[in-house]
Amino acid sequence: MPLVAEYRIQARPDRRILEVYDADAYLDDEQALAAARSQVVAGNGYHLYLHSLQDVLKAALAIRIWDTPPAEPADAEGSVPVTLESETGILVIRAFTAGPVGEMSLPRPGVYGGYASWTGRQATYDHCRATLQALEEEASDEDTDRAWAQTPTTEAYTLDLCYLRPSEPDDEADQ
């Protein structure tokens, strides 16, 4: 199962949310966002929302495109099957209201499927909570930076996808 393409980025989850979506699918989806808050990752086909438990530290995000359908990750804390359609062949990574933080060019436009998985989510949250409780209100910026630099885990999300099929023709464009 050779790797076809890979993109990695680190971004701070804004309001505890990171998004991955097709460059033309810029409208938010409140139902998918609400589902992500209970399921960790959820989407509507064009948009994926990844729900972190914290919004202080950067999370790692890897998008990997494989030449055959990937197996469900065995070493992750959790995973869910996902489908993501990209009519443009460009995925945007956004830190919710903070705006885009990166983009990935896919090998070709179309529908991709596979798994979203995560590791370090709870441990990073627990560390953030403990650190915030330990820091005094008068802590200097240096003390705060030093505390965050000593974070023992990294919250990480991985999208393992493969190309499934071309996008369906847009019926509205034909009319």
Side-chain angles (χ1 to χ4, degrees):
M1 176 168 89
L3 185 63
V4 175
E6 183 174 24
Y7 179 80
R8 293 182 176 273
I9 192 166
Q10 289 195 343
R12 190 179 61 79
D14 182 47
R15 291 176 175 68
R16 300 182 178 180
I17 297 293
L18 291 173
E19 296 176 76
V20 178
Y21 57 91
D22 178 65
D24 276 352
Y26 50 85
L27 295 177
D28 291 330
D29 183 321
E30 292 299 321
Q31 288 180 320
L33 179 58
R37 293 188 191 282
S38 63
Q39 299 168 198
V40 183
V41 177
N44 63 8
Y46 292 94
H47 235 107
L48 285 178
Y49 294 93
L50 297 85
H51 179 242
S52 174
L53 295 173
Q54 57 85 31
D55 59 4
V56 176
L57 298 171
K58 288 182 177 181
L61 172 62
I63 302 171
R64 301 186 298 199
I65 309 298
W66 300 94
D67 72 338
T68 58
E72 185 170 2
D75 57 347
E77 291 172 8
S79 66
V80 294
V82 293
T83 302
L84 189 58
E85 184 168 356
S86 177
E87 292 178 357
T88 65
I90 298 171
L91 295 180
V92 175
I93 297 85
R94 185 172 92 168
F96 203 47
T97 62
V101 295
E103 70 178 35
M104 175 188 188
S105 293
L106 294 169
R108 61 183 162 179
V111 179
Y112 289 77
Y115 291 93
S117 61
W118 55 91
T119 60
R121 187 172 178 262
Q122 185 66 48
T124 301
Y125 169 75
D126 292 344
H127 175 76
C128 282
R129 193 179 70 218
T131 300
L132 288 171
Q133 289 173 349
L135 287 171
E136 299 174 16
E137 283 189 31
E138 294 98 26
S140 70
D141 288 343
E142 293 83 21
D143 291 339
T144 303
D145 290 344
R146 191 171 23 261
W148 293 134
Q150 294 173 359
T151 302
T153 61
T154 298
E155 179 176 13
Y157 297 88
T158 303
L159 302 180
D160 282 311
L161 307 170
C162 76
Y163 177 82
L164 298 176
R165 61 178 168 76
S167 296
E168 296 293 325
D170 187 0
D171 291 338
E172 291 178 16
D174 296 336
Q175 296 178 1

